[in-house]
Amino acid sequence: MVPELEQESQSIVEYSKLQPDTLPARRVLFTQSSSFIHHSSVAFRLSSQRASILMRSLVVGCTLIVMAITVPMAAAQKVDLSIDASKTGAKIDRNVFGQFAEHLGHGVYEGIWVGPDSRIPNTRGIRNDVVGALKAIKVPNVRWPGGCFADEYHWRKGIGPQRSVTLNPNWGGVTEANTFGTHEFMDFLDQIGAEAYVSVNVGSGTPQEAAEWLEYMTAAAPTTLAKERAANGHPAPYKVALLGIGNESWDCGGNMTPDYYLSQMKVYSRFVRNFNPEQQDKHQMLKIAVGPGGGEPRWTEWTEAVMKAYQQHTWSWDINGLSMHNYTVGHWPPSYTSVGFGETEYSQILKFTLEMDGLISKHSAIMDKYDPDKKVALVVDEWGAWYAPLPGSNPGFLVQQNSLRDAILAALNLNILARHADRVRGANIAQMINVLQAMIITDKEKMVLTPTYYVFKMYIPFQGATFVPVTFDGGWYTHGDVALPRVDAIAAKDANGKLWLGITNLDPNQPVEIEASLAGITAKSAAGETLTAPKVDSVNTFDTPNTVVPKPVSARVQGGKLALKLEPKSVTVVSVEP
Ligand code: AHR
C-alpha cells in the first residue's frame, strides 16, 4: 500500500516541475497540488517517527485530494451558442441514418444469420438479439448485398431450397453458402422495420439478370418469376425503396471509365424496373448511380460526367441519387489501430474525419452546376472509420474494435451530413455488424453494442427533423500539430415542434459550459443524454458492455437560455420543450 502511495507522490512532484503553460489542462491540475508537496518538506524536519507518520498521512491526504480534483478536471471552457428556431433549413432525411450490410466476414453470417437450427435464439434463422438492438435504433434502410460483393453476386444462387455454394473472392476468399439470400434479407428488414437498398450487379452481371431480380422481388402480376417467389414462400411483392446501380464501378466494380459506366448505367436505369403496385406513384424506387470515392480529379471528373449526362437525360432513363464513398482511414492501407491508442491518434483521426465536409461541398458544387434544383441526392452510402485489422483476425474480414473515438467520429459525420441536408438525402455507415465501424459486435451467442450504436440511438430524434442553424465559436482544441474546433453542434425541430440539440465536445481534457440563447421558441425545460468514457479508446466488451453508454445529463432553461455542461470527449443530445 505505502510504496504505491509513495509512487503516486513521486509523480506529483514530477508533474509539479512542469510549467503550467506547456501542459494540457488535466496536468495543470496536478501542478496545483504542489503546495502539498511543499508542506511535506516541512514534515522532514520533525523526528523521524513522527515525520514518517505525518508523511504517510500527508501522502494519503495528497493522493485523495489529487484523486478528487482529477475527476472534475480543468476549469470549463465557456461557449456561447445561438439558435433561432424560427429559421429552419432542409429536412434531415431519415435515410441519412442508413446501414450497410455486405457479405463480408461475419457481417451477415453470424452477425445476422445463424440459421433456424442454431442454439442462438433466432426467428427463421435471424438472431433475435441483433434484431432487438437494431429495432431500437430505427434503422431506415439497409444497403445489401455489397459493396464489392454486389458486383459478383448472382441472386438466383440465393433463392429456393437448394442453394449453391460459391466463393467470396473479395473478402478472404471464403465460401459463400448463399443461405442468406433475397427472402432472408427481406425477412430481416421486416423484423427490424427497415427498407431495402439493393445494389445490383453491374460489374459481372447483365441488365437482364438485374431486371429479372427486380421482377422476382416486386411483380404482383402472376408472371413466372412472381410465381416462383410465391412458391419460395412470399406471394406478396416485396418493396425495394432504393436501387444501387453498381458499386465503385471505377474500381472493384469493374474498373470502368466514366463513359463506359454511363452507357451501362443508362441501360440498367431503363430496364431494371420496380413493378410493385404500391411503388408506382408514391414511394417510387430511387435509383442511385455510382459516384465519387474521393476528392482528387478522377473523382471530380466522374461526378462531372454523371451529372452532365443527367442534365441531358431523356425520358428513357433517370437517376435520383449519386453515391459517394468516404472512409476515415488516414492513409491506405489502414494502419491506425482501433484500440490501444492515445490522444495523438484520437486527434489525427478526428481531423481526417472532418474532411467529409469539404468533400461533400466539392461534389455538391459540381452537382449544383448541372442540377441547381437539387433533384439528384448525394447518397454517402459508405462512410465510417477503417482501421488496421485486429491482430489475429482474418485481414479480409475487416474486423476492428469500436471506441469512444468512433462515437465522436460518428456524431461529427452525422452533423456534417445534417448540415448538407439539402443535397445529402441518404447515407449508410459501413458496416452494421462485425465489420469496420459497426453498431454491433457478436461472437457466437454473445453480442455487445458499440459506442457508435449509442450515437445512432441518441440521434433518432434527428431522423426526419427540420434542420435549424446554430451559430457558435468554441475556439480550438489543439494537440501537437492538430487543431480541431473544440465543439460541434447541430439543431433540428421535430414534427411536434420540439427543438433538439446535438453537441460534441471534441476536447478530451477540458469540459465545456454551454450557454445557448434560444430565439423563436418559448423554452420551458430541457433534458438529455450524454455519452463519454474514461479514455479516448474506451470500448464496450462482452464482459464490460457498459463502459461507453449514454447517461442522463442535466440542462437548465432560464430566461430564454439553455445552460449545459459537456464532459470532455463527449456527445450530448438535448431536447428543449416548447
Ligand atoms: O466496406 C468495404 C468495402 O469498401 C466495400 O465493399 C467497397 O465498396 C468499399 O471499397
Side-chain angles (χ1 to χ4, degrees):
M1 187 76 181
V2 173
E4 276 170 32
L5 291 176
E6 278 168 359
Q7 215 177 356
E8 244 195 269
S9 164
Q10 183 63 35
S11 70
I12 293 166
V13 177
E14 280 167 11
Y15 278 122
S16 73
K17 286 182 197 153
L18 301 170
Q19 289 302 306
D21 287 352
T22 63
L23 293 171
R26 189 180 177 134
R27 292 191 174 181
V28 171
L29 270 177
F30 280 99
T31 67
Q32 288 167 349
S33 65
S34 58
S35 57
F36 295 108
I37 303 298
H38 170 72
H39 289 161
S40 73
S41 68
V42 177
F44 281 116
R45 290 192 219 120
L46 303 173
S47 76
S48 61
Q49 200 187 3
R50 278 182 61 216
S52 144
I53 294 166
L54 187 57
M55 185 59 188
R56 280 179 193 211
S57 56
L58 279 168
V59 168
V60 172
C62 289
T63 306
L64 290 176
I65 291 164
V66 167
M67 277 164 64
I69 58 180
T70 52
V71 176
M73 307 247 176
Q77 293 283 331
K78 294 206 182 335
V79 175
D80 292 334
L81 253 74
S82 142
I83 306 166
D84 184 347
S86 65
K87 293 199 176 113
T88 51
K91 186 174 155 179
I92 304 167
D93 198 308
R94 60 186 300 263
N95 278 328
V96 162
F97 299 84
Q99 300 283 333
F100 174 35
E102 178 165 15
H103 286 235
L104 192 174
H106 295 305
V108 169
Y109 297 106
E110 293 190 31
I112 300 173
W113 180 257
V114 287
D117 301 329
S118 171
R119 282 189 297 119
I120 299 170
N122 68 83
T123 302
R124 295 179 293 280
I126 294 162
R127 55 192 295 168
N128 295 343
D129 52 357
V130 164
V131 166
L134 293 172
K135 259 168 106 165
I137 56 169
K138 298 193 189 310
V139 176
N141 74 75
V142 181
R143 180 170 178 256
W144 175 86
C148 298
F149 181 82
D151 280 300
E152 291 187 72
Y153 184 61
H154 300 285
W155 66 275
R156 280 212 151 272
K157 299 185 194 293
I159 57 160
Q162 297 300 323
R163 306 287 172 100
S164 315
V165 177
T166 54
L167 287 167
N168 190 339
N170 280 294
W171 305 118
V174 293
T175 53
E176 163 60 55
N178 281 301
T179 42
F180 189 88
T182 305
H183 289 259
E184 292 75 21
F185 173 60
M186 292 295 186
D187 189 10
F188 167 62
L189 294 183
D190 262 9
Q191 291 189 34
I192 67 169
E195 294 190 309
Y197 180 176
V198 174
S199 287
V200 292
N201 181 343
V202 173
S204 67
T206 62
Q208 182 182 0
E209 183 188 9
E212 287 179 357
W213 191 14
L214 264 284
E215 185 191 323
Y216 177 86
M217 288 191 279
T218 64
T223 67
T224 303
L225 282 168
K227 283 189 197 160
E228 191 180 358
R229 182 191 65 233
N232 285 334
H234 208 273
Y238 291 118
K239 282 191 184 148
V240 177
L242 297 137
L243 182 85
I245 306 178
N247 171 77
E248 299 194 353
S249 303
W250 27 261
D251 197 359
C252 72
N255 225 298
M256 301 174 190
T257 62
D259 282 351
Y260 185 82
Y261 173 71
L262 271 170
S263 59
Q264 297 283 310
M265 185 268 276
K266 288 175 190 173
V267 173
Y268 277 73
S269 165
R270 170 91 184 114
F271 298 116
V272 184
R273 299 170 199 265
N274 185 319
F275 295 102
N276 190 315
E278 290 177 33
Q279 294 194 267
Q280 299 312 302
D281 301 324
K282 287 183 181 171
H283 314 297
Q284 283 186 10
M285 181 176 77
L286 305 177
K287 298 176 187 176
I288 316 300
V290 168
E296 295 82 4
R298 72 180 278 223
W299 309 119
T300 50
E301 284 159 20
W302 187 282
T303 301
E304 284 272 354
V306 176
M307 292 309 295
K308 196 170 177 187
Y310 167 79
Q311 190 188 39
Q312 293 158 7
H313 81 99
T314 63
W315 66 271
S316 60
W317 73 275
D318 200 2
I319 52 168
N320 311 94
L322 181 74
S323 131
M324 183 178 108
H325 291 180
N326 180 37
Y327 285 98
T328 300
V329 61
H331 314 281
W332 297 100
S335 57
Y336 279 83
T337 57
S338 57
V339 273
F341 57 84
E343 192 173 341
T344 299
E345 296 82 3
Y346 166 84
S347 56
Q348 287 173 352
I349 283 289
L350 294 189
K351 178 174 168 257
F352 293 131
T353 217
L354 290 174
E355 289 170 9
M356 173 73 98
D357 186 53
L359 199 60
I360 293 176
S361 299
K362 194 175 220 176
H363 290 285
S364 296
I366 300 171
M367 294 174 84
D368 286 348
K369 266 200 308 187
Y370 301 103
D371 173 32
D373 297 336
K374 300 187 195 291
K375 288 192 178 141
V376 178
L378 188 61
V379 179
V380 187
D381 54 15
E382 285 187 32
W383 68 271
W386 191 325
Y387 303 125
L390 276 187
S393 68
N394 181 335
F397 284 11
L398 312 187
V399 179
Q400 60 191 45
Q401 247 298 0
N402 195 293
S403 68
L404 176 65
R405 178 179 65 186
D406 296 297
I408 295 192
L409 183 154
L412 294 176
N413 278 281
L414 291 173
N415 293 354
I416 293 169
L417 299 171
R419 279 194 278 270
H420 289 276
D422 57 346
R423 180 64 83 177
V424 177
R425 300 195 286 276
N428 300 74
I429 187 166
Q431 298 193 5
M432 192 160 58
I433 307 161
N434 292 335
V435 178
L436 299 177
Q437 191 176 346
M439 307 294 113
I440 296 174
I441 296 174
T442 66
D443 182 14
K444 301 187 184 68
E445 75 292 348
K446 292 185 230 158
M447 178 188 87
V448 68
L449 306 176
T450 66
T452 301
Y453 172 91
Y454 288 112
V455 171
F456 272 72
K457 192 158 190 212
M458 290 164 73
Y459 268 64
I460 288 173
F462 292 97
Q463 292 193 11
T466 306
F467 187 79
V468 173
V470 186
T471 51
F472 59 94
D473 178 2
W476 297 91
Y477 148 63
T478 56
H479 182 76
D481 57 359
V482 174
L484 301 168
R486 179 173 285 114
V487 295
D488 187 35
I490 58 160
K493 220 155 68 172
D494 71 15
N496 303 317
K498 215 191 245 188
L499 183 70
W500 292 89
L501 202 54
I503 322 178
T504 297
N505 179 7
L506 286 75
D507 192 325
N509 305 307
Q510 286 191 278
V512 167
E513 270 172 21
I514 295 283
E515 190 177 271
S517 66
L518 306 169
I521 184 169
T522 315
K524 289 204 190 103
S525 60
E529 284 189 316
T530 194
L531 186 74
T532 187
K535 297 189 298 164
V536 285
D537 69 338
S538 291
V539 298
N540 293 333
T541 65
F542 299 120
D543 296 331
T544 56
N546 296 322
T547 306
V548 197
V549 292
K551 307 223 163 58
V553 66
S554 65
R556 240 173 342 103
V557 173
Q558 212 173 22
K561 292 201 168 182
L562 167 77
L564 176 71
K565 187 166 175 189
L566 309 176
E567 291 300 314
K569 51 179 165 30
S570 63
V571 178
T572 304
V573 172
V574 173
S575 69
V576 179
E577 295 280 349

